[in-house]
Amino acid sequence: MQAKLIVDKDFTIGEVDKRIYGSFIEHLGRAVYGGIYEPGHPSADEQGFRGDVMELIRGIDVPIVRYPGGNFVSGYNWEDGVGPVELRPRRLELAWRTVEPNLFGLGEFVDWCRKAGTAPMMAVNLGTRGPEEARQLVEYSNHPSGTYWSDLRVQHGYKAPHAIKTWCLGNEMDGPWQIGAKTAEEYGRIAAETAKVMKWVDPSIELVACGSSALGMPTFPEWERTVLDLSYNEVDYISLHQYYGNRDKDSANFLAQSMGMDAFIGSVIATCDYIQAKKRSKKKLHLSFDEWNVWYHSNEADSRIEPWSVAPPQLEDVYNHEDALLVGSMLISMLKRADRVKMACMAQLVNVIAPIMTETGGGAWKQTIYYPYMHTSIFGRGTVLVPLVESPKYDAKDYTDVPYLDAIAVHNAEAGEVTVFAVNRHLSESLPLSVDLRSFGSFRLIEHIVLESDDLKAANTKAAPDRVAPHTRGNAVVESSGSGLAASLGKASWNVIRVK
Ligand code: AHR
């Protein structure tokens, strides 16, 4: 068994838009309350933002964070979350069957983003509301002053506009679970009209239309075709959402699922380009993969949660080693289409299907999936190179010809570095790999980072927060020819090989 990766600096896919390393904070479970916001916590600042969580987030360098939902946004009145906290209403929150105290809202989120070194990506409610409330929200957020809504923001203590550039037009509007779900025709029209007035208020903003909630939705890809036919000129991105799980306890099949993601991305690009052709448009639509992750571990526990409490422990997946491998492959899938995938949000950031876990009142730690997310965000910036991959393959339950090697290389010309990200999907054997870097001249190895474990189900918990953690004892070496690398990738491992 031998695998090979050939890359050349002149054969490029595209520049990485750093926003593909975005994430997501929803008013759901303990993402906000007990996650990023916990007044009284020993690490909290004067606004109640947890410092320990912020430090872990800074470690990933998250460039953009989507807010406030998710399903939550489809029943949300943004006005409930601004102004004096003591006047804000407690509301029944129907999407997740909780009580929302509205102690944290738009202003707090924007402040938190600035402190965390990230940018806000705001979603508007197109479930129970429409263009009117959306344009008012843009006016409140982005108009300097001198009008009712912008002056209200000033009155609330924010003289400078929030300057929110990126906006989502609703959330998963095709899903029957969505408050105010719509047909593609209904949504396409409302999305176009909402986009129009939002951009009339602030022409500098960019807008994401909802695509299907998942590749497996019966409406996919007809939904995309119809929605874009009705809104192509008004919007800038179409969203993709996809979660995977290993319910059948079939790890070989589980790790192959990023091939479904490759196909999903390809089909959405094709649909966008079909509409572009149909409209004889010069505009190329880009993709915002604004929800993606592994999500299944917590499903059963969630079904036992009593409704109508504040911030219950919902969607608290405890991630294991194999989850980190699939997350690595999902990141590779997005890098492979860096030419069109310009934004993406790991769903979510803290506690709720997240790379960071906290104990309310206690500590914070890194889940296994933190590592591939951090590695790609830190080292995966620059130009993605076309990956010529030769690899032995296997057949799984839902996918055939699955390459054991999943790999991509990113060239950071500014730093003079090339980073290879590689997963060995083989569950019991290591995979010898040669990397041909023919056009890069001479280089030296900086490091070979490896995330591996003898137990695919090993997880990080409060009691053992570092059970699965990367090391830099990878065995990659520069070949004697000087133009390539040789390594043996451990069974079921995530690898980051950096050269300069
Ligand atoms: O991220 C959790 C939920 O998954 C979001 O609220 C929703 O958009 C999706 O179904």
Side-chain angles (χ1 to χ4, degrees), residues 43-322:
S43 75
D45 69 7
E46 68 295 347
Q47 286 187 281
F49 303 155
R50 277 185 70 150
D52 55 350
V53 171
M54 204 168 284
E55 200 180 311
L56 292 176
I57 293 169
R58 285 208 197 96
I60 304 172
D61 193 1
V62 179
I64 193 163
V65 177
R66 183 168 172 249
Y67 174 86
N71 298 339
F72 171 82
V73 78
S74 296
Y76 184 51
N77 296 341
W78 66 267
E79 304 89 326
D80 290 348
V82 296
V85 174
E86 60 284 4
L87 299 181
R88 297 186 194 170
R90 282 167 73 88
R91 299 254 189 222
L92 275 192
E93 201 292 282
L94 300 187
W96 301 103
R97 309 192 75 211
T98 58
V99 170
E100 171 54 54
N102 284 305
L103 302 174
F104 186 100
L106 174 59
E108 288 81 14
F109 179 63
V110 170
D111 287 342
W112 178 85
C113 283
R114 308 285 182 241
K115 288 184 179 174
T118 192
M121 175 188 201
M122 190 75 190
V124 300
N125 174 355
L126 292 187
T128 57
R129 310 185 103 188
E132 176 68 357
E133 296 85 357
R135 80 178 172 92
Q136 291 170 355
L137 175 54
V138 178
E139 183 181 323
Y140 177 93
S141 303
N142 288 7
H143 195 72
S145 63
T147 64
Y148 176 79
W149 291 105
S150 58
D151 285 345
L152 191 61
R153 184 200 68 243
V154 175
Q155 196 187 310
H156 290 161
Y158 296 93
K159 189 162 184 301
H162 291 325
I164 301 173
K165 187 172 169 60
T166 311
W167 298 78
C168 303
L169 296 163
N171 176 69
E172 295 190 348
M173 299 308 303
D174 61 330
W177 58 86
Q178 202 66 218
I179 302 170
K182 304 201 167 11
T183 64
E185 286 77 10
E186 288 166 347
Y187 174 69
R189 285 291 303 130
I190 203 81
E193 291 304 316
T194 305
K196 219 167 71 180
V197 291
M198 288 172 77
K199 283 189 172 172
W200 283 348
V201 176
D202 181 354
S204 73
I205 61 174
E206 34 180 43
L207 298 172
V208 185
C210 290
S212 300
S213 310
L215 174 59
M217 290 298 286
T219 44
F220 176 79
E222 189 54 23
W223 171 277
E224 278 75 0
R225 189 197 66 75
T226 309
V227 166
L228 290 179
D229 213 1
L230 293 166
S231 65
Y232 196 86
N233 295 335
E234 284 77 24
V235 304
D236 307 285
Y237 303 85
I238 182 103
S239 75
L240 296 84
H241 291 183
Q242 186 66 39
Y243 296 97
Y244 290 115
N246 189 7
R247 292 183 181 81
D248 302 336
K249 300 187 172 45
D250 179 346
S251 299
N253 195 52
F254 174 67
L255 295 183
Q257 292 180 106
S258 59
M259 290 175 75
M261 188 159 177
D262 294 336
F264 190 16
I265 293 172
S267 306
V268 174
I269 291 172
T271 310
C272 291
D273 292 351
Y274 164 73
I275 298 294
Q276 181 189 8
K278 184 177 169 197
K279 291 188 178 294
R280 277 87 175 133
S281 171
K282 287 201 169 71
K283 173 173 160 185
K284 198 56 72 222
L285 215 78
H286 289 126
L287 276 53
S288 172
F289 214 124
D290 49 43
E291 284 189 36
W292 67 271
N293 204 347
V294 172
W295 172 15
Y296 76 106
H297 297 284
S298 59
N299 293 167
E300 216 186 294
D302 285 339
S303 67
R304 294 193 297 268
I305 291 177
E306 286 295 318
W308 317 131
S309 62
V310 175
Q314 290 167 311
L315 279 64
E316 297 205 358
D317 274 41
V318 174
Y319 290 111
N320 59 33
H321 178 62
E322 69 180 10

